[in-house]
mmCIF file of all heavy atoms in Angstrom:
data_model
loop_
_atom_site.group_PDB
_atom_site.id
_atom_site.type_symbol
_atom_site.label_atom_id
_atom_site.label_comp_id
_atom_site.label_asym_id
_atom_site.label_seq_id
_atom_site.Cartn_x
_atom_site.Cartn_y
_atom_site.Cartn_z
ATOM 1 N N ARG A 841 120.260 128.045 83.156
ATOM 2 C CA ARG A 841 119.613 128.503 81.932
ATOM 3 C C ARG A 841 118.220 127.880 81.820
ATOM 4 O O ARG A 841 118.031 126.705 82.154
ATOM 5 C CB ARG A 841 120.457 128.095 80.725
ATOM 6 C CG ARG A 841 120.003 128.721 79.415
ATOM 7 C CD ARG A 841 120.987 128.426 78.312
ATOM 8 N NE ARG A 841 120.541 128.975 77.049
ATOM 9 C CZ ARG A 841 121.163 128.773 75.888
ATOM 10 N NH1 ARG A 841 122.267 128.033 75.848
ATOM 11 N NH2 ARG A 841 120.699 129.304 74.778
ATOM 12 N N VAL A 842 117.240 128.642 81.358
ATOM 13 C CA VAL A 842 115.857 128.173 81.291
ATOM 14 C C VAL A 842 115.428 128.025 79.838
ATOM 15 O O VAL A 842 115.508 128.971 79.045
ATOM 16 C CB VAL A 842 114.903 129.133 82.026
ATOM 17 C CG1 VAL A 842 113.455 128.654 81.885
ATOM 18 C CG2 VAL A 842 115.291 129.250 83.496
ATOM 19 N N PHE A 843 114.975 126.796 79.503
ATOM 20 C CA PHE A 843 114.389 126.525 78.187
ATOM 21 C C PHE A 843 112.893 126.257 78.388
ATOM 22 O O PHE A 843 112.526 125.397 79.196
ATOM 23 C CB PHE A 843 115.032 125.295 77.537
ATOM 24 C CG PHE A 843 116.509 125.417 77.280
ATOM 25 C CD1 PHE A 843 117.422 124.710 78.045
ATOM 26 C CD2 PHE A 843 116.977 126.235 76.266
ATOM 27 C CE1 PHE A 843 118.782 124.809 77.806
ATOM 28 C CE2 PHE A 843 118.337 126.346 76.012
ATOM 29 C CZ PHE A 843 119.246 125.638 76.787
ATOM 30 N N THR A 844 112.054 126.956 77.673
ATOM 31 C CA THR A 844 110.617 126.708 77.782
ATOM 32 C C THR A 844 110.176 125.800 76.632
ATOM 33 O O THR A 844 110.574 126.010 75.479
ATOM 34 C CB THR A 844 109.827 128.024 77.736
ATOM 35 O OG1 THR A 844 110.171 128.754 76.552
ATOM 36 C CG2 THR A 844 110.112 128.861 78.965
ATOM 37 N N LEU A 845 109.364 124.813 76.959
ATOM 38 C CA LEU A 845 108.911 123.871 75.935
ATOM 39 C C LEU A 845 107.996 124.537 74.920
ATOM 40 O O LEU A 845 107.924 124.122 73.765
ATOM 41 C CB LEU A 845 108.205 122.680 76.585
ATOM 42 C CG LEU A 845 109.086 121.824 77.501
ATOM 43 C CD1 LEU A 845 108.289 120.666 78.076
ATOM 44 C CD2 LEU A 845 110.308 121.303 76.761
ATOM 45 N N GLN A 846 107.290 125.571 75.360
ATOM 46 C CA GLN A 846 106.480 126.383 74.454
ATOM 47 C C GLN A 846 107.088 127.781 74.388
ATOM 48 O O GLN A 846 107.776 128.212 75.318
ATOM 49 C CB GLN A 846 105.024 126.462 74.944
ATOM 50 C CG GLN A 846 104.317 125.116 75.055
ATOM 51 C CD GLN A 846 104.609 124.387 76.368
ATOM 52 O OE1 GLN A 846 105.046 124.973 77.342
ATOM 53 N NE2 GLN A 846 104.370 123.082 76.376
ATOM 54 N N THR A 847 106.834 128.486 73.311
ATOM 55 C CA THR A 847 107.378 129.838 73.154
ATOM 56 C C THR A 847 106.611 130.810 74.046
ATOM 57 O O THR A 847 105.384 130.816 74.069
ATOM 58 C CB THR A 847 107.276 130.294 71.686
ATOM 59 O OG1 THR A 847 107.996 129.361 70.870
ATOM 60 C CG2 THR A 847 107.860 131.687 71.505
ATOM 61 N N VAL A 848 107.351 131.638 74.791
ATOM 62 C CA VAL A 848 106.746 132.645 75.672
ATOM 63 C C VAL A 848 107.395 133.999 75.421
ATOM 64 O O VAL A 848 108.508 134.085 74.894
ATOM 65 C CB VAL A 848 106.899 132.262 77.166
ATOM 66 C CG1 VAL A 848 106.202 130.952 77.466
ATOM 67 C CG2 VAL A 848 108.376 132.178 77.558
ATOM 68 N N ALA A 849 106.695 135.044 75.825
ATOM 69 C CA ALA A 849 107.214 136.407 75.650
ATOM 70 C C ALA A 849 108.083 136.766 76.851
ATOM 71 O O ALA A 849 107.656 137.474 77.769
ATOM 72 C CB ALA A 849 106.049 137.384 75.505
ATOM 73 N N ASP A 850 109.305 136.255 76.863
ATOM 74 C CA ASP A 850 110.232 136.515 77.956
ATOM 75 C C ASP A 850 111.643 136.437 77.389
ATOM 76 O O ASP A 850 112.112 135.369 76.988
ATOM 77 C CB ASP A 850 110.034 135.485 79.078
ATOM 78 C CG ASP A 850 110.819 135.828 80.339
ATOM 79 O OD1 ASP A 850 111.907 136.439 80.224
ATOM 80 O OD2 ASP A 850 110.356 135.468 81.437
ATOM 81 N N ASP A 851 112.335 137.558 77.378
ATOM 82 C CA ASP A 851 113.670 137.624 76.771
ATOM 83 C C ASP A 851 114.723 136.874 77.582
ATOM 84 O O ASP A 851 115.825 136.620 77.083
ATOM 85 C CB ASP A 851 114.101 139.081 76.611
ATOM 86 C CG ASP A 851 113.248 139.835 75.597
ATOM 87 O OD1 ASP A 851 112.649 139.162 74.729
ATOM 88 O OD2 ASP A 851 113.177 141.071 75.688
ATOM 89 N N GLU A 852 114.397 136.508 78.824
ATOM 90 C CA GLU A 852 115.391 135.853 79.670
ATOM 91 C C GLU A 852 115.374 134.328 79.539
ATOM 92 O O GLU A 852 116.160 133.649 80.197
ATOM 93 C CB GLU A 852 115.157 136.255 81.133
ATOM 94 C CG GLU A 852 115.382 137.746 81.387
ATOM 95 C CD GLU A 852 115.264 138.091 82.858
ATOM 96 O OE1 GLU A 852 114.977 137.176 83.664
ATOM 97 O OE2 GLU A 852 115.463 139.258 83.205
ATOM 98 N N VAL A 853 114.486 133.812 78.718
ATOM 99 C CA VAL A 853 114.428 132.362 78.518
ATOM 100 C C VAL A 853 114.594 132.055 77.035
ATOM 101 O O VAL A 853 114.421 132.921 76.178
ATOM 102 C CB VAL A 853 113.108 131.759 79.042
ATOM 103 C CG1 VAL A 853 112.900 132.108 80.511
ATOM 104 C CG2 VAL A 853 111.928 132.223 78.211
ATOM 105 N N THR A 854 114.937 130.799 76.747
ATOM 106 C CA THR A 854 115.086 130.329 75.362
ATOM 107 C C THR A 854 114.027 129.263 75.097
ATOM 108 O O THR A 854 113.836 128.365 75.919
ATOM 109 C CB THR A 854 116.484 129.728 75.147
ATOM 110 O OG1 THR A 854 117.479 130.709 75.458
ATOM 111 C CG2 THR A 854 116.661 129.275 73.702
#
Side-chain angles (χ1 to χ4, degrees):
R841 190 172 178 186
V842 177
F843 299 108
T844 55
L845 297 181
Q846 300 83 19
T847 301
V848 299
D850 189 329
D851 293 337
E852 295 185 358
V853 304
T854 302

